[in-house]
């Protein structure tokens, strides 16, 4: 981005050895032009109250740099009561921060950023975060981004005043390329093209949507398929969408469905070719089938156990009767012909029961 240089000496040289870990957002509470504010900073050199900021962004989006990022601009004053508790107050905050002023004509900083100002601010912050590896989130003890109010809530509670924080963090998330936490497991992103496990590729708005979904290891990938890339991916339920040519994949609660022809997508339009649809019913359907199968398995196991017990029981009876018969034969006529016949037929019945049970298992 184009940055005009209007340097001044109102800064700690080399940050007294520290590195920037924070970006501090400010509002000027007066003035609209970045160059004019930068000239004012310069005019305070050598005065009793020299002030500055690393950058000033005008309402027209112009960016002016007043101090090197290697130096600690005189921008943040001192800590006041009620400052965020994670600040290390033994270090001058100017030595660990990069300050960005936003021109706001209202003395109470009540102006919202202009579109041009917002665009410059987001781009500048993105570049600074990449340059110094500053965390792209609300500041905490490890670094990040916050307003002057975090350091001096007594005198600067309205600095910067309105600022599109949510939009900033969303923009930072979607421009962070190659961050593994946003690329679904097993997928690959080269900064332009996102490729899924099956080789289906996504670019543009669809890729941006996927990367902004905060994927993590708990996400479930169901499948993707595109009309213009036949054979790619798997549909959970082919045909459910009518034409069977939709990609959809799921986080824990939602799926993103996409179709090259927006006329076919229906539903809520996220971008001109992307919709997000709940897939609770799809998951429920799969869950019900698994649960039903599990119940059947348990029932069959119970039946098998019962049959095994029965088989053991029959075997024991057969053995006992066979022993009885053999003893009777050895006692030399101790049993009548009829009694022997009865025993033999009893054994035959039991054996046939056992065989029937065996056949039941095989079935
Ligand atoms: Zn401020």
């Amino acid at each position: 981005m184009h940055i005009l240089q209007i340097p001044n000496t109102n800064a700690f040289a080399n940050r007294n050895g520290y590195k920037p870990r924070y970006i501090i957002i400010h509002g000027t509470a007066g003035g609209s032009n970045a160059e004019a504010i930068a000239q004012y900073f310069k005019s305070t050199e050598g005065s009793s109250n020299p002030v500055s900021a690393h950058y000033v962004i005008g309402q027209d989006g112009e960016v002016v740099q007043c101090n090197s990022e290697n130096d600690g601009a005189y921008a943040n004053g001192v800590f006041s009561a009620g400052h965020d508790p994670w600040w290390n107050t033994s270090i001058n905050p100017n030595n660990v921060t990069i300050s960005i002023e936003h021109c706001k004509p209202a003395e109470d900083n009540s102006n919202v950023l202009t579109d041009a100002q917002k665009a410059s601010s987001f781009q500048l912050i993105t570049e600074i975060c990449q340059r110094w590896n500053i965390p792209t989130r609300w500041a905490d003890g490890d670094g990040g981004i916050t307003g002057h109010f975090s350091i001096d809530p007594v005198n600067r509670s309205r600095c910067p005043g309105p600022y599109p924080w949510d939009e900033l963090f969303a923009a930072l998330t979607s421009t962070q390329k190659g961050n593994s936490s946003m690329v679904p497991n097993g997928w690959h992103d080269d900064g332009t093209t996102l490729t899924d496990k099956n080789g289906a590729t996504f670019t543009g708005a669809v890729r941006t949507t996927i990367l902004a979904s905060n994927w993590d290891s708990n996400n479930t990938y169901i499948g993707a398929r595109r009309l213009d890339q036949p054979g790619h991916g798997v549909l959970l339920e082919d045909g459910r969408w009518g034409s069977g040519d939709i990609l959809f994949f799921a986080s824990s609660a939602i799926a993103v469905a996409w179709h090259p022809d927006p006329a076919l997508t229906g539903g809520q339009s996220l971008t001109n070719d992307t919709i997000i649809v709940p897939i609770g019913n799809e998951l429920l359907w799969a869950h019900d089938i698994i649960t039903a199968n599990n119940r059947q398995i348990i029932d069959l196991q119970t039946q098998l156990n019962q049959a095994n017990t029965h088989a053991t029981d029959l075997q024991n009876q057969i053995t006992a009767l066979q022993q009885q018969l053999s003893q009777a034969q050895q006692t030399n006529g101790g049993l009548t012909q009829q009694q022997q016949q009865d025993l033999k037929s009893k054994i035959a019945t039991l054996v046939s029961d056992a065989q029937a049970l065996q056949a039941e298992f095989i079935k």
Side-chain angles (χ1 to χ4, degrees):
M1 70 191 303
H2 176 72
I3 298 176
L4 182 73
Q5 301 293 324
I6 303 181
N8 65 55
T9 59
N10 302 333
F12 296 112
N14 292 316
R15 300 181 169 275
N16 293 339
Y18 291 100
K19 290 256 183 289
R21 295 298 304 141
Y22 297 91
I23 294 175
I24 302 298
I25 306 295
H26 300 260
T28 54
S32 61
N33 180 274
E35 292 179 40
I37 297 290
Q39 293 296 353
Y40 167 72
F41 286 159
K42 190 165 175 56
S43 76
T44 66
E45 280 180 348
S47 75
S48 61
N49 186 28
V51 289
S52 190
H54 291 90
Y55 298 96
V56 187
I57 303 178
Q59 285 197 300
D60 57 2
E62 181 185 30
V63 181
V64 177
Q65 183 167 14
C66 305
N67 303 102
S68 162
E69 291 178 2
N70 295 315
D71 300 330
Y74 298 165
N76 295 300
V78 292
F79 291 107
S80 66
H83 64 76
D84 275 322
W86 37 259
W87 284 107
N88 181 347
T89 54
S90 68
I91 300 171
N92 187 311
N94 293 325
N95 282 328
V96 290
T97 57
I98 290 175
S99 285
I100 305 175
E101 285 283 1
H102 295 77
C103 291
K104 291 191 169 193
E107 273 181 35
D108 62 357
N109 271 335
S110 58
N111 307 88
V112 296
L113 300 193
T114 67
D115 286 348
Q117 207 170 15
K118 186 169 77 177
S120 294
S121 184
F122 287 7
Q123 191 184 342
L124 180 62
I125 291 170
T126 300
E127 291 179 9
I128 294 170
C129 285
Q130 285 170 352
R131 209 155 34 237
W132 293 97
N133 201 24
I134 290 172
T136 53
R137 56 162 195 259
W138 277 111
D140 58 27
D142 295 323
I145 306 164
T146 187
H148 196 174
F149 55 79
S150 168
I151 294 171
D152 185 4
V154 172
N155 304 300
R156 293 290 184 268
S157 66
R158 296 197 58 84
C159 186
Y163 186 86
W165 294 105
D166 291 345
E167 245 183 288
L168 169 71
F169 292 120
L172 288 169
T173 300
S174 66
T175 54
Q176 249 181 344
K177 290 169 184 165
N179 181 331
S180 60
S181 70
M182 293 183 310
V183 178
N185 283 343
W187 293 39
H188 172 72
D189 183 59
D190 67 5
T192 308
T193 303
L194 183 66
T195 307
D196 81 356
K197 292 175 181 175
N198 304 313
T201 55
F202 309 102
T203 55
V206 179
R207 170 181 166 272
T208 305
T209 303
I210 297 169
L211 291 180
S213 298
N214 285 323
W215 294 89
D216 65 30
S217 56
N218 294 321
N219 290 136
T220 307
Y221 174 58
I222 288 182
R225 185 160 150 191
R226 283 174 55 166
L227 188 63
D228 53 348
Q229 295 179 343
H232 276 150
V234 181
L235 287 175
L236 181 64
E237 252 185 292
D238 209 352
R240 190 167 184 119
W241 302 91
S243 45
D245 50 14
I246 294 274
L247 95 82
F248 56 110
F249 48 90
S251 68
S252 50
I254 58 145
V256 176
W258 177 83
H259 190 290
D261 178 2
L264 292 178
T265 54
Q268 325 89 303
S269 221
L270 186 72
T271 69
N272 61 356
D273 59 5
T274 307
I275 57 170
I276 290 187
V277 292
I279 56 147
N281 287 338
E282 302 266 5
L283 289 179
L284 201 60
W285 170 79
H287 176 261
D288 284 350
I289 286 180
I290 292 167
T291 308
N293 283 341
N294 278 344
R295 255 188 244 118
Q296 271 183 7
I297 290 168
I298 291 168
D299 285 352
L300 284 170
Q301 272 171 340
T302 307
Q303 282 176 25
L304 185 62
N305 288 341
Q306 285 169 348
N308 275 335
T309 308
H310 192 191
T312 308
D313 195 39
L314 282 174
Q315 193 57 51
N316 289 343
Q317 285 184 43
I318 291 168
T319 307
L321 284 170
Q322 277 172 335
Q323 277 171 357
Q324 214 178 320
L325 181 60
S326 132
Q327 275 167 9
Q329 281 166 338
Q330 281 163 18
T331 56
N332 207 10
L335 286 176
T336 65
Q337 204 70 11
Q338 185 57 47
Q339 283 171 322
Q340 289 188 26
Q341 207 55 51
D342 285 351
L343 274 174
K344 277 181 184 165
S345 105
K346 227 173 172 178
I347 289 170
T349 307
L350 284 170
V351 166
S352 115
D353 277 1
Q355 279 166 351
L357 197 61
Q358 220 168 15
E360 190 75 20
F361 284 143
I362 291 161
K363 189 178 76 183

